[in-house]
């Protein structure tokens, strides 16, 4: 019977998917939807004021699904938090990677980077980052996941200064200025969240120009 189901049609077309295959595909799609809902709910709770009481049970309740179903997709709370870390990466790292990696001179790429750095971070994403940092202090797996994402973030700025180094025949190591700009950008984001009077564009332009000049002139 199995051989008959797998045999090609007389006109040479491939056989139609079996009912079992179609049912499996629907089940897989439903599972992915449930997983996405759990991650979205986890993000909501982590960005809220009660993130210290974050639990898989509370996430499942917010989704309206059983606690057991949550553990079907995520082994424990840490698994779910790590999934959130991976889920938000495209939102804050992806645009920066695109800005740096698109063709252009150092000046052109720097302008794209400055434009992104001067955009205020949304309050939900800001609170989410704070919550993830809090969990990273107490959970090694979360710490490793967050550290991995921030390495991607820092690498964006290193690649930016690599372009400048290439324009000057490899005259300097792009890692120090790239790392310095990444650290300064993080500090600026924190400062902006506390004091709206800070002029982010002027600050970032001074940072980029100063680091570029120092890197090129460094003996």
């Amino acid at each position: 019977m199995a051989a008959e189901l797998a045999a090609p049609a007389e006109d040479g077309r491939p056989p139609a998917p079996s009912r079992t295959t179609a049912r499996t595909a629907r089940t897989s799609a439903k599972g992915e939807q449930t997983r996405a809902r759990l991650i979205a709910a986890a993000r909501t709770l982590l960005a809220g004021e009660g993130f210290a009481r974050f639990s898989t049970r509370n996430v499942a309740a917010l989704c309206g699904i059983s606690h057991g179903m949550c553990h079907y997709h995520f082994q424990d709370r840490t698994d779910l938090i790590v999934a959130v870390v991976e889920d938000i990466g495209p939102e804050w790292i992806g645009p920066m990677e695109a800005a740096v990696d698109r063709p252009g001179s150092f000046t052109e790429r720097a302008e794209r980077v400055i434009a992104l750095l001067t955009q205020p971070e949304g309050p939900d994403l800001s609170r989410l980052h704070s919550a993830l940092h809090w969990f990273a202090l107490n959970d090694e797996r979360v710490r490793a996941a967050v550290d991995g994402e921030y390495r991607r973030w820092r690498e964006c700025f290193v690649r930016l200064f690599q372009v400048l180094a290439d324009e000057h025949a490899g005259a300097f190591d792009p890692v120090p200025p790239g790392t310095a700009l990444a650290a300064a950008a993080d500090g600026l984001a924190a400062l902006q969240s506390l004091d709206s009077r800070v002029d982010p564009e002027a600050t970032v332009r001074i940072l980029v120009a100063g680091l570029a000049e120092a890197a090129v002139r460094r003996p």
Side-chain angles (χ1 to χ4, degrees):
M1 177 63 72
E4 293 177 2
L5 289 175
E10 293 182 0
D11 59 3
R13 291 178 300 176
S18 68
R19 292 181 180 179
T20 301
T21 301
R23 184 163 55 249
T24 300
R26 287 196 299 271
T27 301
S28 177
K30 185 176 181 180
E32 286 301 313
Q33 291 173 359
T34 301
R35 189 177 189 278
R37 286 173 55 202
L38 286 165
I39 293 174
R43 289 183 57 157
T44 298
L45 290 179
L46 286 170
E49 296 179 357
F51 72 84
R53 297 187 298 275
F54 178 84
S55 69
T56 53
R57 189 175 297 278
N58 289 338
V59 171
L62 184 60
C63 276
I65 65 174
S66 69
H67 189 210
M69 180 59 70
C70 182
H71 280 285
Y72 174 82
H73 291 279
F74 301 99
Q75 181 178 355
D76 53 25
R77 183 180 75 168
T78 297
D79 271 355
L80 187 50
I81 296 173
V82 169
V84 170
V85 173
E86 296 171 351
D87 188 63
I88 68 174
E91 297 177 26
W92 66 287
I93 303 176
M96 188 62 69
E97 289 177 329
V100 170
D101 294 337
R102 279 168 46 203
S105 65
F106 170 78
T107 299
E108 292 168 333
R109 299 184 200 214
E111 283 297 321
R112 296 195 292 259
V113 167
I114 291 170
L116 286 175
L117 291 178
T118 54
Q119 294 177 8
E121 187 175 55
D124 286 346
L125 191 57
S126 178
R127 288 193 294 267
L128 193 49
H129 275 136
S130 296
L132 293 174
H133 289 162
W134 186 88
F135 279 106
L137 295 174
N138 301 279
D139 190 309
E140 284 301 320
R141 288 165 58 201
V142 176
R143 185 186 186 91
V146 171
D147 181 59
E149 292 299 280
Y150 271 90
R151 282 200 302 269
R152 281 181 58 195
W153 169 254
R154 292 192 298 272
E155 181 60 27
C156 291
F157 301 101
V158 173
R159 292 203 300 275
L160 173 65
F161 279 93
Q162 181 65 64
V163 174
L164 182 63
D166 291 343
E167 291 177 356
H168 289 79
F172 65 90
D173 179 1
V175 174
T179 303
L181 181 56
D186 291 338
L188 178 61
L191 184 59
Q192 281 183 274
S193 68
L194 297 173
D195 189 351
S196 60
R197 295 170 298 178
V198 173
D199 185 341
E201 182 173 356
T203 303
V204 174
R205 286 191 178 280
I206 290 173
L207 282 169
V208 173
L211 288 168
E213 181 178 1
V216 171
R217 290 187 176 182
R218 184 177 180 180

